[in-house]
Amino acid sequence: MKIGVLGGGQLGRMLGLAGIAMGHEFVFYDDGERPCAGPVGEVRPLAELGPLRDLDVLTYEFENVFEAVDRAYRQEVIVAPGRRAIEVSSDRLTEKDYFTSLKIPTARYRPFDNPATFDEAVAQIGYPCVAKTRRFGYDGKGQMVLQGEQDREACLAMAGEKPMVLEAFVPFSREVSLVCTRAANGQKVFYPLVENWHRDGILITTLAPAPGLTPELQEQAEGYVGAIADELAYVGTLAVEFFQIHDELMASEMAPRVHNSGHWTIEGAETSQFENHIRAITGSPLGSTAAIGMSAMFNLIGIQPNPDMILSMPGAHLHWYGKEVREGRKVGHVTVRSDSEADFGRNIAMASAMIAPS
Amino acid sequence: MKIGVLGGGQLGRMLGLAGIAMGHEFVFYDDGERPCAGPVGEVRPLAELGPLRDLDVLTYEFENVFEAVDRAYRQEVIVAPGRRAIEVSSDRLTEKDYFTSLKIPTARYRPFDNPATFDEAVAQIGYPCVAKTRRFGYDGKGQMVLQGEQDREACLAMAGEKPMVLEAFVPFSREVSLVCTRAANGQKVFYPLVENWHRDGILITTLAPAPGLTPELQEQAEGYVGAIADELAYVGTLAVEFFQIHDELMASEMAPRVHNSGHWTIEGAETSQFENHIRAITGSPLGSTAAIGMSAMFNLIGIQPNPDMILSMPGAHLHWYGKEVREGRKVGHVTVRSDSEADFGRNIAMASAMIAPS
């Protein structure tokens, strides 16, 4: 099939690599100068998104494309995942309302958009809390933790006139996420829950499966994510990030697309999240999500470590996105796969040292 | 790096998929109309192979390109693997002389190029024997088994004026092959020996590792292939096919490139033969060749089975080369990976039934 992708970043690139292997062709809609996905498909400007008669299906690899998706929809292009998934998840307030409507626990929240509504929100939520822009936030951008009144002015300055949401600070034990793929016929497959480490709001490391993962916790997560996927009649791969507090999960946010915390599946699972997304949107049966040993995924953020040092580690796999290295930019990732727990610990330590931030 | 590849078939395509993931770019030299590797790189006509100042290294994905390699060599382009590898292996007589010079057992052989030399060769080799064209033979083309005098005329008709070689028929128990990658610094990694099934001279199935593989047999194969790789100062992935007769191996032929019997390594080994070839020619350390469970690879030859039937098998991975289906043409392959021996047997049976030749 000929698959259109809104966005031509690294997620598009990895979708392309997975899909070409299966015989598909790709067109990426991206206005960037040298999009990352360029080597694996044709690149077209976003404005060319028209009736798309030469494409079999259109998908997206980042969520801030609601208008384009909406336009495609009105032109009766098959878009997978559908329009509602992106509508719900592209605004933090809608997203949290949506979690609540499905009885999925989430941190208490209140919207605000001026000093008066901010003060009302604080009165309800209390300190410490987290202020987040409702739209276009990613990788920790547009977020701020407020410890007390002393942070009020800085927060209002950051917010400006943007619609915001104020969330209660959750004293979580750790952050985990679940990646799920759902087919049009309702078939759902879930990868094991993974543990995520963030720095300055950016994902730096994923451990898969999450150490100490219990069947009960996995079941809890699958229940929540499965409910979302079914309610949205979702087609493709989606991810939900959770805070874990003791044995309970609280949804933090969802991404209606392949997700950074699922990159380990390329080597660490029987079928990758990218391949399963392609299988889903092309109407094929989904593949096994079983983990093969244990994996640790390390993002390369604004650094280009010596590739030979990484490649000399047993079980290490280097993914380089072909981007220029800039501060704070995700330019690649490394997955280290291990068969035994002993190797896993050693490999994480080695890789962490090697990929230390500059 | 920017990597040039002579040839743009499925091997080039899979090299591209492995290399792009690591951040490399590809240029394929191929005069075909819509080469298979097109979606993963720039395609240039073979005649444009010039001083190649925009490429970092040139490699090849099929061996009948000696002239092009030779031309590149004279223009001081770095070619990996080197010129001698292709020189030795592009002529069956040179290849067998080469095996003999390294004391690697091979079937007795004699060249012939007319009825008189044919009769001399038969007198030395005896029936049954196999006549093969010295150059440009592949996938069983240009080969003929001779049971006795009654096949003489047909053989001479097939041979025409082409230089041929007559080989003793080896009563082998099975056919196996070894894939090896060698780095410029002499580091060598070997995949486990695999068992190959052929039909009409074309590889149809590979079982990896070869069932009942003993450390002694693996060691014997590594000794032979290692000697070849070192003597050629080889850089990249190479494969040698063997006849197994009880516990002894006899070299049948070599391929100075990634090999069909190594396709299972994409899912079935820690590092694929394609990634290791790219690592070798770009001067990076080689990756682990350890098998992950057991794999069976099935070529799709001139048939397009229902992809959904294949994808619904647990552990099955479909590779489709984006070619038009034509009789006798390799258009894709399926690898089925299993963790247990019980699953392996069942999976082979299921996949064989599904991919039955039409």
Side-chain angles (χ1 to χ4, degrees):
Chain A
M1 288 191 187
K2 199 159 179 177
I3 299 171
V5 183
L6 290 167
Q10 64 263 26
L11 300 179
R13 180 178 170 114
M14 289 185 273
L15 283 171
L17 291 172
I20 291 172
M22 304 171 80
H24 301 297
E25 287 175 79
F26 288 82
V27 175
F28 297 94
Y29 291 89
D30 196 300
D31 292 335
E33 200 175 325
R34 236 182 127 244
C36 198
V40 293
E42 186 192 332
V43 177
R44 296 181 189 166
L46 215 57
E48 272 190 28
L49 190 65
L52 303 179
R53 294 200 208 291
D54 67 333
L55 298 183
D56 295 294
V57 62
L58 183 72
T59 188
Y60 41 85
E61 58 99 75
F62 70 123
E63 53 267 62
N64 295 331
V65 288
F66 179 67
E67 279 178 27
V69 167
D70 190 55
R71 179 147 42 102
Y73 233 77
R74 280 182 277 112
Q75 282 156 343
E76 298 184 10
V77 174
I78 297 169
V79 185
R83 180 169 54 168
R84 257 194 79 223
I86 207 167
E87 197 173 6
V88 161
S89 61
S90 60
D91 181 324
R92 283 184 196 278
L93 183 63
T94 326
E95 186 175 81
K96 292 180 85 66
D97 287 344
Y98 185 67
F99 289 150
T100 307
S101 75
L102 292 175
K103 301 193 171 44
I104 299 170
T106 186
R108 287 178 303 117
Y109 62 98
R110 286 291 176 280
F112 71 92
D113 53 7
N114 62 43
T117 48
F118 171 81
D119 291 332
E120 283 170 41
V122 167
Q124 303 239 8
I125 304 294
Y127 290 111
C129 55
V130 189
K132 299 179 178 175
T133 57
R134 281 173 51 180
R135 293 175 65 87
F136 306 119
Y138 68 98
D139 282 352
K141 290 182 178 66
Q143 297 201 12
M144 181 181 168
V145 177
L146 291 92
Q147 301 293 350
E149 265 318 286
Q150 69 275 18
D151 295 323
R152 182 179 181 275
E153 287 313 308
C155 177
L156 289 172
M158 177 196 92
E161 315 221 310
K162 293 189 285 292
M164 305 284 293
V165 65
L166 196 77
E167 292 179 21
F169 181 83
V170 176
F172 56 84
S173 349
R174 63 173 174 179
E175 294 176 275
V176 295
S177 61
L178 191 78
V179 174
C180 161
T181 307
R182 185 179 181 279
N185 67 0
Q187 184 196 2
K188 291 188 296 293
V189 291
F190 300 94
Y191 291 90
L193 264 176
V194 299
E195 176 173 328
N196 298 319
W197 303 350
H198 291 86
R199 194 179 55 228
D200 303 330
I202 305 185
L203 180 70
I204 51 165
T205 299
T206 295
L207 305 184
L213 177 60
T214 61
E216 292 74 25
L217 198 71
Q218 177 74 22
E219 204 181 317
Q220 192 181 143
E222 291 187 7
Y224 295 149
V225 179
I228 294 172
D230 284 339
E231 202 285 328
L232 291 172
Y234 196 90
V235 177
T237 295
L238 91 159
V240 179
E241 295 179 81
F242 295 97
F243 298 122
Q244 181 180 347
I245 309 112
H246 307 296
D247 296 333
E248 300 296 328
L249 298 175
M250 202 175 247
S252 156
E253 58 181 82
M254 63 179 275
R257 52 168 168 79
V258 288
H259 193 252
N260 197 166
S261 73
H263 289 3
W264 66 277
T265 60
I266 297 176
E267 292 89 8
E270 187 65 51
T271 314
S272 79
Q273 64 164 349
F274 302 99
E275 179 171 337
N276 263 336
H277 184 76
I278 298 295
R279 290 191 189 208
I281 67 170
T282 57
S284 284
L286 306 181
S288 160
T289 53
I292 303 173
M294 283 158 283
S295 298
M297 189 285 308
F298 302 88
N299 271 333
L300 301 176
I301 300 167
I303 51 164
Q304 180 160 29
N306 180 344
D308 289 356
M309 270 177 70
I310 293 169
L311 293 172
S312 63
M313 268 191 69
H317 299 274
L318 174 65
H319 296 258
W320 188 253
Y321 307 148
K323 288 178 177 178
E324 226 179 281
V325 179
R326 273 191 239 141
E327 207 190 318
R329 195 180 204 194
K330 289 179 185 168
V331 289
H333 75 266
V334 175
T335 298
V336 188
R337 212 193 61 78
S338 315
D339 283 313
S340 74
E341 290 209 22
D343 284 350
F344 191 49
R346 202 194 41 152
N347 284 339
I348 291 175
M350 273 180 68
S352 301
M354 239 175 248
I355 307 162
S358 48
Chain B
M1 288 191 187
K2 199 158 180 180
I3 299 171
V5 183
L6 290 167
Q10 64 263 26
L11 300 179
R13 180 177 171 115
M14 290 185 272
L15 283 171
L17 290 172
I20 290 172
M22 304 171 80
H24 301 296
E25 288 176 78
F26 287 81
V27 175
F28 297 94
Y29 291 88
D30 195 301
D31 292 334
E33 200 175 324
R34 234 180 129 244
C36 198
V40 291
E42 184 191 334
V43 177
R44 297 181 188 165
L46 214 58
E48 271 190 28
L49 189 67
L52 304 180
R53 293 200 208 293
D54 67 332
L55 298 184
D56 295 295
V57 62
L58 183 73
T59 188
Y60 40 87
E61 60 101 74
F62 71 124
E63 53 268 61
N64 294 330
V65 287
F66 179 68
E67 280 179 26
V69 168
D70 190 56
R71 182 147 42 101
Y73 233 79
R74 280 183 278 112
Q75 282 156 342
E76 296 183 9
V77 174
I78 297 170
V79 184
R83 178 168 56 168
R84 259 193 78 225
I86 206 167
E87 196 172 7
V88 162
S89 61
S90 60
D91 181 323
R92 284 184 195 278
L93 183 64
T94 328
E95 185 174 81
K96 293 181 82 67
D97 287 344
Y98 185 68
F99 290 149
T100 307
S101 75
L102 292 175
K103 300 194 172 44
I104 299 170
T106 187
R108 287 177 304 117
Y109 61 99
R110 286 290 176 283
F112 71 92
D113 53 6
N114 62 43
T117 49
F118 170 82
D119 291 332
E120 283 170 40
V122 168
Q124 304 239 8
I125 304 293
Y127 290 110
C129 55
V130 189
K132 299 179 177 176
T133 57
R134 280 173 52 180
R135 293 175 66 87
F136 306 119
Y138 69 98
D139 281 350
K141 289 183 179 64
Q143 296 201 14
M144 180 182 168
V145 176
L146 292 93
Q147 301 292 352
E149 265 316 286
Q150 68 274 19
D151 295 322
R152 180 179 183 275
E153 287 313 308
C155 177
L156 289 173
M158 176 197 92
E161 313 221 310
K162 292 188 286 291
M164 305 285 292
V165 65
L166 196 77
E167 294 180 20
F169 181 84
V170 176
F172 56 84
S173 349
R174 63 173 173 178
E175 293 176 275
V176 295
S177 61
L178 191 77
V179 174
C180 160
T181 307
R182 185 180 182 278
N185 68 0
Q187 184 196 1
K188 290 189 295 293
V189 290
F190 300 93
Y191 290 90
L193 264 175
V194 298
E195 177 173 329
N196 298 318
W197 302 350
H198 292 85
R199 193 180 56 229
D200 303 330
I202 306 186
L203 180 69
I204 50 166
T205 300
T206 294
L207 304 183
L213 177 60
T214 61
E216 292 73 27
L217 199 71
Q218 178 73 22
E219 202 182 317
Q220 192 182 140
E222 290 188 7
Y224 295 149
V225 179
I228 294 172
D230 284 339
E231 202 285 329
L232 290 172
Y234 197 89
V235 177
T237 295
L238 90 160
V240 179
E241 294 180 81
F242 294 96
F243 298 122
Q244 181 180 347
I245 308 113
H246 307 296
D247 297 332
E248 301 296 328
L249 297 175
M250 203 174 247
S252 158
E253 58 181 84
M254 63 180 275
R257 52 167 169 81
V258 288
H259 193 252
N260 198 166
S261 72
H263 290 1
W264 65 277
T265 59
I266 296 175
E267 292 89 10
E270 187 65 53
T271 314
S272 79
Q273 64 165 350
F274 301 100
E275 178 171 338
N276 262 336
H277 185 75
I278 298 295
R279 289 190 188 208
I281 68 171
T282 57
S284 285
L286 306 181
S288 161
T289 53
I292 303 174
M294 283 158 284
S295 299
M297 189 286 305
F298 302 86
N299 272 333
L300 301 176
I301 300 167
I303 51 164
Q304 180 162 28
N306 180 344
D308 290 355
M309 271 178 70
I310 293 170
L311 292 172
S312 63
M313 271 190 70
H317 299 274
L318 173 65
H319 296 258
W320 189 255
Y321 308 149
K323 288 178 177 178
E324 226 179 281
V325 179
R326 274 191 237 141
E327 206 191 318
R329 196 181 204 194
K330 290 178 185 168
V331 289
H333 76 267
V334 175
T335 297
V336 188
R337 212 193 60 78
S338 315
D339 283 314
S340 74
E341 290 209 22
D343 285 349
F344 191 49
R346 201 193 43 148
N347 284 338
I348 292 175
M350 275 179 67
S352 301
M354 239 174 250
I355 308 163
S358 49

